[in-house]
Amino acid sequence: MIGLILYDGNSLTCSRGGVTAYPDMIQLGIPSAIVAGNGSTTEAQDALAYTTVDPLPRPGAENWVVFWEGANDLIGGATVDEAIQHLAAYCAHRRAAGWQVMLVTLLPRSSDGTPDTYEASRQAVNVWLRARWADIADMLVDVGADPCMGHAGQE
């Protein structure tokens, strides 16, 4: 039995510019909430999660956090290794608090301020996640491989 699903991450999760947040389009018939933050990095969401996520798992049930971040880390100047370390730390902290974690791979970006290194770094993070997600999480959703939105230029 699933007790609760929380959606955490950056603006791709909580919406931006009036676009409906993707979790609001998912009707599972079970309790869920969005705890993501626009412009937020993995480290920032990890710090917030100690008070916004960790106290909420429901005893005796499967509790899931769907976490979609990493892109803002790379945009903010984190290296590939740092972005992976931040994702691993977030997952470890949530799992220690009783959550199962579903990670989501990164999508391409071409907005103003996106570093020239973003696409290569995104690809490297996604390659690592595809190969090693089970080391840090309970499930992976690979939107970065989706032919309609996961390839460079298909933002």
Side-chain angles (χ1 to χ4, degrees):
M1 172 179 81
I2 294 181
L4 180 62
I5 297 178
L6 293 183
Y7 299 92
D8 197 359
N10 57 35
S11 61
L12 291 174
T13 299
C14 67
S15 180
R16 182 174 86 173
V19 176
T20 302
Y22 84 86
D24 289 338
M25 294 184 244
I26 300 170
Q27 302 297 319
L28 298 175
I30 56 175
S32 65
I34 301 171
V35 294
N38 278 327
S40 194
T41 64
T42 303
E43 285 184 304
Q45 287 307 109
D46 190 15
L48 285 172
Y50 285 106
T51 57
T52 61
V53 175
D54 292 352
L56 301 177
R58 295 180 176 194
E62 287 185 38
N63 298 282
W64 285 88
V65 172
V66 180
F67 190 62
W68 196 5
E69 217 302 284
N72 286 346
D73 282 5
L74 296 175
I75 296 226
T79 66
V80 169
D81 288 341
E82 289 168 338
I84 291 167
Q85 289 169 8
H86 299 161
L87 289 169
Y90 178 94
C91 292
H93 297 147
R94 299 304 72 76
R95 291 169 100 185
W99 292 94
Q100 293 180 318
V101 180
M102 183 183 308
L103 280 176
V104 183
T105 56
L106 284 59
L107 288 176
R109 288 181 72 158
S110 61
S111 56
D112 290 341
T114 301
D116 293 339
T117 58
Y118 176 78
E119 182 57 25
S121 296
R122 171 187 87 90
Q123 290 291 348
V125 169
N126 283 351
V127 165
W128 190 94
L129 288 174
R130 289 176 188 124
R132 306 279 308 273
W133 67 267
D135 294 344
I136 64 170
D138 300 287
M139 188 178 293
L140 180 73
V141 176
D142 194 358
V143 297
D146 185 294
C148 295
M149 65 181 174
H151 299 271
Q154 295 177 320
E155 299 77 82

